[in-house]
Amino acid sequence: MKRIKEIRIRNFKAFQKDNRQFKINGKNVLVFGNNGSGKSSLFWALYTFLQSSGKTNEEVQKYFKNYTISDPKTHQTLKNIFMGETEDSYVKVTSIDSDTNETKNYTISHGTINTNSDSDTIIQELNLASDFINYKLLHNFYRASHRQQVNLWPVFERDIFPFLAEGTQNLLEDIIKTPTLDIPRDAGGRSVYGRQRELYVNKLSVLNTKIQDILDEIQGHANDFIKNEFFAGKDVIRISLIFSKKFNFQKVHTKLWGENKEAERYNLLHIKLSVELFEEKPTPQWKSIERVQSFLNEAQLTRIAIGIRIGALLTRPLAEARFKILVLDDMLISLDLSNRVDVVRIILNKDRKESLSFFDEFQKFIFTHDKGLFNLIRRNTNEENWVYYNFNKDESDNSPPTIRADLTSLQKAAKYFDENEFENCGNELRKEAEAILDNFLDPDLKLLDQKFQGLKQKLGDAFKKLTEKRFKDFNIAFLTDLEPEKLQKIKEDYHSDDSLTTGEKRKLTILKTKMSDFLINFNEEGTRKEQLISETKEILDRVMNTASHHGENELYRAELKDAIEKMKDLKEHLR
């Protein structure tokens, strides 16, 4: 598998003159930042980079031109407006192969573009296998006035069809280039009639059927996903995607793909979103909902939108892709905590479901301005597989955003310790202890809506959980169908006992080995965990509480250093 090793950005959107480097070494990425801090700039840098693989050099260069108000060809530039004309602007990505450690550099800029080469199609493959989802894209699924039906054609044209492969081109290219760019015309430019026209109309009919077949496949995946992941396998909501206003001779005659034809095209082509809700009483039945944006709440609509996006993702040939990323930008902004937890559990595949294992194959980039969501995801990930960034922008001026690695509470505690900031060190250790115990007590994110528990209560619950687990492990390991009097033989030389069968002797040998292994583990690993819980209780009283509350007790350097090491041990053992 291939992963992104490094991203370098210069003078692109919010990123200014400095060469911004993100050394991520193939890991997933989690970013917290306030509005305008550059999260979306990184989102669009990656999006533009991947999209460049299907464009000509001239189509890519327009994003890096110097803006001139009198020249419409420069109006799509994404070059930072505060940079001079001679300043370079680029997005560079270094890939790494996890099997061979081979790296390769790719660049898009005004002068260099090597993402769209026919001899190296890896970025084209990355583009087709990846997905980008943000709040605005989800909102487009139900953006319509209360008197209108939701039309998803614009969403599919912009965000889904371009990522569905059709041979050597994507589905949108296939739709445009094959039959719908223009009707057949004679040498004089007049539309053809007779047999030629009939053949062309049949070709449009085949295309319309093909599009509906793809919508049916997406719909099937989406309904399975919504039912199983959002409603625990219960019938609650189901959707239909209907190509209700299709291509025909008259519509193509108007040259739908011409310049400034977007509004007309969106009016003439229509993919209807139909939603049904399941009613159990008085008679079990599905009830159709018209104008879904008027009668469903935003959480329900967001679930539907996510379901359709995942349905489209599953319609792609993902298994063969060697390189794929999933980029999410504030996609959960409209959801409350419980719904966010559901989506986070799904994306991280916390329950290790086979049906969600495709998420494990993506290198993930998650951006959010919600500190609570950032902490939730961070708590359920680790530094071995993730890197964390904090973006910040002072909105009172036009200075570039500041970007730094976001440290864990344990890393902050160590930093404060080195700086002799002992009170801050103790406070961060307390936060780290809470995070470690939360993750141990609730690895599947199912207890977040329960009442608040103090650190002492969590320590007690963790100790209890460890004890119960060891008792359960003991029962599993040593339950046997041997009769009590035969079990007594384990204390004797049972190998020469003729009253035991060969099978019974074998069971006693296995049991004896298990007992030895269990006893060793019990005293080494199991006891160490419980000892660490007890030591954390002592640290709480001696160090953490002293740091958190005013008092006369002095914090000693040696105790803090010991506490930091204990937190490292606790985190490793409870993981």
Side-chain angles (χ1 to χ4, degrees), residues 290-308:
E290 297 296 326
R291 294 176 291 123
V292 296
Q293 73 279 18
S294 300
F295 293 99
L296 297 180
N297 62 47
E298 194 158 11
Q300 291 171 313
L301 292 168
T302 301
R303 284 174 168 179
I304 290 170
I306 291 173
I308 294 173

Side-chain angles (χ1 to χ4, degrees), residues 83-100:
M83 295 299 102
E85 291 188 2
T86 59
E87 294 283 353
D88 195 12
S89 174
Y90 58 71
V91 178
K92 297 182 178 182
V93 171
T94 301
S95 69
I96 184 169
D97 191 304
S98 59
D99 297 322
T100 64

Side-chain angles (χ1 to χ4, degrees), residues 4 92 109 121 127 137 142 196 201 204 264 270 277 332 396 421 428 491 522 529-530 535 543 554:
I4 293 177
K92 297 182 178 182
S109 67
T121 60
N127 183 42
L137 296 180
Y142 45 87
Q196 276 187 282
V201 169
L204 286 181
E264 180 182 350
H270 199 293
L277 303 182
L332 308 182
S396 64
E421 294 283 345
E428 292 300 335
K491 298 184 293 184
F522 185 91
K529 291 179 182 178
E530 292 176 2
E535 290 171 348
V543 176
E554 184 179 355

Side-chain angles (χ1 to χ4, degrees), residues 428-489:
E428 292 300 335
L429 284 173
R430 185 185 187 93
K431 293 178 185 177
E432 182 67 22
E434 289 179 340
I436 293 169
L437 292 167
D438 284 342
N439 201 36
F440 175 67
L441 293 170
D442 184 25
D444 298 323
L445 309 178
K446 294 178 180 177
L447 305 176
L448 287 179
D449 56 350
Q450 295 191 4
K451 66 180 182 179
F452 171 79
Q453 287 183 315
L455 183 54
K456 277 193 174 181
Q457 179 65 49
K458 291 175 182 177
L459 285 165
D461 290 347
F463 192 89
K464 181 180 178 182
K465 182 176 179 179
L466 285 170
T467 304
E468 290 175 347
K469 182 180 184 301
R470 285 212 277 170
F471 182 73
K472 182 179 179 181
D473 290 345
F474 183 88
N475 282 339
I476 293 173
F478 300 118
L479 281 178
T480 177
D481 57 357
L482 287 172
E483 298 169 359
E485 59 271 16
K486 292 182 178 178
L487 279 174
Q488 292 284 343
K489 304 279 188 181

